[in-house]
Structure formats: C-alpha cells, structure tokens
Amino acid sequence: MSHSLSNEQLIAAANSFGTPLYVYDAANIEAQYSALTTAFTGQPVKFFYASKALTNINILKLMLHMGCAVDCSSINEAHLAIKAGHAPKNILYTSNGIHFSEIETAVSLSIHVNIDSLSNLEKFGKKYGSSYPVGIRLRPNIMAGGNLKISTGHDKSKFGVPLEQLEALLAIIDTYQINIAGLHIHTGSEIKDVSVFMKVTDVFFDLVPKFPQLQFLDLGGGFKVPYKAGDPSTNINELATEIQKFQEKLQSTYARSFELWFEPGKYMVSKAGYFITEVNVIKQTPTITFAGVNSGFNHLIRPMLYEAYHEIKNLSNPNGPLATYDVVGNICETDTFASDRQIATIAEGDLLVFENAGAYGFEMASNFNSRYKPAEVMILKGEAKLIRQRDTFEDLTRNQVEVL
C-alpha cells in the first residue's frame, strides 16, 4: 500500500522550514521498495537504487536501512554511497564516457563496475587482465522511454557497446582474458510495457553462451511512474512473472541461472517527493492568469527540460472552485511549470505543492540567477527532519576567488 503525506503535514513543514522546500516521505520510499521485493519473492533478484535520482546522504542511508543496494553514475556517487555505509559489494558503478582513472578508482574501492566502451575495456584488460570481474554495458538498439532525452538504448544513443561490435568486444575479452561477470542493458526511463524488458532478456538469452563466467544480468531501471490519475505504470507483478519464466528458460536451455539486477531510481523516490512554493504574484492578462511562485526551473527543471507533468495542488485552498492558470517561476526567461492548468482558486501568499518531485528535482537544481537552492526535509516516522539547509549568501561566493 502506497503512503502519502497530508496537506496538514506539508503546510506544517513549509511553516517550519520556509519555502521553496523539498519534502520527502520516508514511508513512501519504504512502501515502493517493499512492493518490488514482494513481487520478486523467492527469485535471485537484486535491486540497486539509481542514486542519480536523489543523492541526499539520508536517502542513501534509508536505502541501506531497507537493504537496497546503490547504483552510481559517477565515482562521486560511489564515494557518497560508501560514506552512507554501503558495503562495496552492494555498490554498482556504470561508467559512461568517463576517463579511465574513474574506473581505476572504482576498482580500488572494490565495487562492481560496468564498462561502457571498447576503448575503456581495452585499457581495463591491459591493466587488470582476468584479476577483477567486470560487467559490460551493451546497446541493444531498442527504443524505449517517454522522451528521447531519457531514452538510452536506441541506435543513435551514446550509451553502451553496440551489439554490432560484438565480435570486436569478444576479441578484446579474449586477448586480455577479461573476467566478464555481468551484462548490462538499460533502455531508458518511463518504460510502460513489460515487453521492453523482455526484449532485453531475449538479447541476453542469445549472448549467454558467449560469456562462460557470467554471474549477473542487469536490466537497468526505467520503471514507469504515474504522474496523474489514469497514467499507466510498469506492472511489477507481471514483470516478476515474466522474469521467472526467463530464468526457467535459461535453466532448461543452458543449465545456467543468474542473479537478475534492476536499478530503480525514479520508481523509488519520485512519489515520495513534494516541492512546496509560495505564490508571489497573481498577474491577470487579457488571455491568461499567471500564478507566479517563489521558485523556477533553477529548482525544478523537469517541466522545461522534459515537458514533464507534475500535479499542482493549492495547499492553502484545497477545496476552492477551480480556475485556470499558468504556473510560472521567477527566473529571467520563459519558466513555465504548467500551462492552462485547472487548480483550486489561487491567491497571493497561497502555498502550491508540486507532486512526484522526489526524482531529479533537487538533484538537478542550480543557483541560476544567483538564487539559493532550497532546503530539504524528510518525514521520518511522522516527524519532519531537516536534511539539507537552505543556501545562504555565503554559499553563492564560497568557491569564488577574487583577483580584482
């Protein structure tokens, strides 16, 4: 059963910590993880939280507490996971166009590594030979995801080693006797259809005989999160059933079975996140009523960058008659959160909440226009805890060096 915060809890957090404010519901994150582990009960499946969605140290510690491993997209995320207390065996680093020194650091940390290019695989082979098990990220030319910017498996994607280069890949592995422990494919975000994951298993099925030392098959993440009523979402129970069939097929064909890895990110934290703003200005024009809030795409860039939809509710007047608004920010260029949106009547000073703001909200925030990054709060066992302080003026100049 999913968990959500009440209007009263959100208003109390805004009153205590100010706005703009990110609020995360720990109970919702726990419910999302429980739904995954329950669906896959009895199967050799391991979940790595894709920490790029939200890296606050307290979120990483919550994952540790729940027993969820961590997937990292940079070596700094790996350092954060270690700082949060995760064991190296529960940290996965999937490289993408990075300098080989990051892979060397990952090896020194004893974490799992997926390599993304023939170039870095060859460097790896020269340095480590068969001494360190490693995974390979492949590009299967499967188009998936709600937006081309977040689709990563198609034939023009920069990610992974294209399957057309399989012979060259196998030649490098053979030359250096590299121990390939895993294969990894991540096709994109917002995958509605379980069949997309099963296309990946079809690719894996054909490749298994070529990799005798395989221990895991990594299907990446991309579970679809519903953003509004009626939105589709990934059917986790159906996926678990199909994955079980895949395992049985592997066993009956090759007499081999593997640990299956998934990297849920948005699925774990999106619904748990709320972004609260205050309405600065109601601007009535002949054609549009603008509700201008004390934030902008410097705090929540997804609507401008991905045309992402976030439900917006008026916390201060939740049951008022509906009116139509463009909800806009205070940044010096077009900065629209929602157009032509029906919201309970808004007055200046009202608190608006953006739902599904846990993933890629604060994480992609900036100080554009020299505005402060917001504070972050976690609701833990019903109590609001500050987990990141709001920026101050000193934060804007902290790393600047005056030479004039």
Side-chain angles (χ1 to χ4, degrees):
M1 181 68 184
S2 185
H3 184 272
S4 57
L5 298 179
S6 68
N7 279 17
E8 290 72 25
Q9 284 175 300
L10 295 170
I11 290 169
N15 289 339
S16 295
F17 302 102
T19 62
L21 184 71
Y22 276 100
V23 180
Y24 310 116
D25 178 13
N28 185 273
I29 296 171
E30 291 168 336
Q32 291 294 97
Y33 185 62
S34 177
L36 283 179
T37 53
T38 301
F40 285 90
T41 298
Q43 293 196 47
V45 169
K46 186 167 183 172
F47 298 103
F48 292 79
Y49 164 59
S51 61
K52 61 181 179 286
L54 181 60
T55 56
N56 187 289
I57 197 82
N58 297 281
I59 298 292
L60 298 179
K61 285 186 173 184
L62 181 63
M63 298 298 165
L64 177 68
H65 171 75
M66 297 188 309
C68 184
V70 177
D71 164 59
C72 303
S73 295
S74 76
I75 204 64
N76 292 338
E77 288 182 358
H79 285 302
L80 284 169
I82 289 168
K83 183 176 173 64
H86 289 267
K89 68 178 181 180
N90 292 325
I91 300 173
L92 170 64
Y93 172 50
T94 300
S95 64
N96 160 43
I98 50 87
H99 193 271
F100 185 66
S101 59
E102 280 202 26
I103 293 174
E104 292 174 311
T105 302
V107 171
S108 75
L109 295 173
S110 300
I111 64 178
H112 297 288
V113 182
N114 284 327
I115 291 180
D116 178 73
S117 66
L118 295 180
S119 172
N120 273 337
L121 184 65
E122 184 143 25
K123 292 170 195 165
F124 185 91
K126 285 178 181 174
K127 176 147 189 178
Y128 299 105
S130 62
S131 68
Y132 196 91
V134 71
I136 301 291
R137 179 171 185 171
L138 300 169
R139 193 190 78 192
N141 302 345
I142 297 171
M143 180 67 188
N147 184 307
L148 190 60
K149 293 176 185 174
I150 53 175
S151 182
T152 57
H154 58 86
D155 64 358
K156 292 182 173 58
S157 168
K158 69 171 182 170
F159 297 95
V161 177
L163 285 177
E164 297 92 328
Q165 295 177 359
L166 182 62
E167 292 309 313
L169 173 70
L170 293 171
I172 292 170
I173 293 166
D174 184 57
T175 299
Y176 301 103
Q177 294 299 294
I178 303 171
N179 179 352
I180 303 300
L183 300 177
H184 171 279
I185 293 174
H186 173 65
T187 56
S189 188
E190 306 272 295
I191 299 170
K192 295 187 279 282
D193 195 339
V194 166
S195 67
V196 172
F197 287 104
M198 303 326 294
K199 285 178 187 174
V200 172
T201 63
D202 290 343
V203 174
F204 284 153
F205 183 80
D206 293 337
L207 291 174
V208 159
K210 300 180 185 296
F211 298 93
Q213 293 170 298
L214 276 186
Q215 296 168 28
F216 68 86
L217 297 171
D218 184 345
L219 285 93
F223 300 149
K224 174 77 175 80
V225 171
Y227 284 106
K228 53 187 169 184
D231 262 9
S233 58
T234 310
N235 187 326
I236 301 299
N237 290 317
E238 181 190 344
L239 178 61
T241 301
E242 292 302 315
I243 290 296
Q244 180 69 47
K245 291 179 189 172
F246 171 58
Q247 286 278 32
E248 291 165 1
K249 183 179 168 187
L250 288 169
Q251 191 63 47
S252 63
T253 308
Y254 302 124
R256 296 174 73 182
S257 61
F258 306 95
E259 196 168 59
L260 270 287
W261 291 4
F262 289 97
E263 300 163 6
K266 190 183 292 181
Y267 176 87
M268 295 284 281
V269 296
S270 178
K271 194 168 185 293
Y274 302 80
F275 183 52
I276 308 173
T277 64
E278 183 175 333
V279 178
N280 287 336
V281 175
I282 298 293
K283 183 184 287 188
Q284 188 82 51
T285 74
T287 54
I288 297 173
T289 303
F290 293 99
V293 301
N294 64 343
S295 180
F297 69 68
N298 54 321
H299 295 158
L300 182 63
I301 199 172
R302 297 184 70 253
M304 288 299 295
L305 186 62
Y306 301 129
E307 298 175 3
Y309 179 96
H310 289 268
E311 196 76 45
I312 302 173
K313 294 181 179 174
N314 187 346
L315 293 174
S316 304
N317 183 29
N319 301 312
L322 296 178
T324 303
Y325 300 92
D326 278 19
V327 180
V328 295
N330 56 8
I331 292 299
C332 68
E333 54 187 272
T334 302
D335 181 21
T336 304
F337 289 116
S339 299
D340 204 28
R341 188 75 65 87
Q342 293 257 297
I343 302 170
T345 308
I346 301 171
E348 292 182 4
D350 281 358
L351 296 174
L352 301 187
V353 64
F354 297 73
E355 297 189 341
N356 262 299
Y360 308 104
F362 185 93
E363 202 62 27
M364 297 178 82
S366 75
N367 290 116
F368 185 46
N369 280 186
S370 293
R371 294 199 174 272
Y372 303 147
K373 286 186 188 175
E376 292 178 292
V377 165
M378 180 186 282
I379 308 295
L380 199 57
K381 295 181 172 61
E383 193 175 343
K385 304 273 192 185
L386 184 69
I387 59 172
R388 186 191 297 267
Q389 295 180 357
R390 186 176 310 283
D391 275 2
T392 64
F393 185 75
E394 287 67 33
D395 292 311
L396 297 181
T397 57
R398 185 179 309 283
N399 292 319
Q400 296 189 38
V401 180
E402 294 193 44
V403 297
L404 292 176

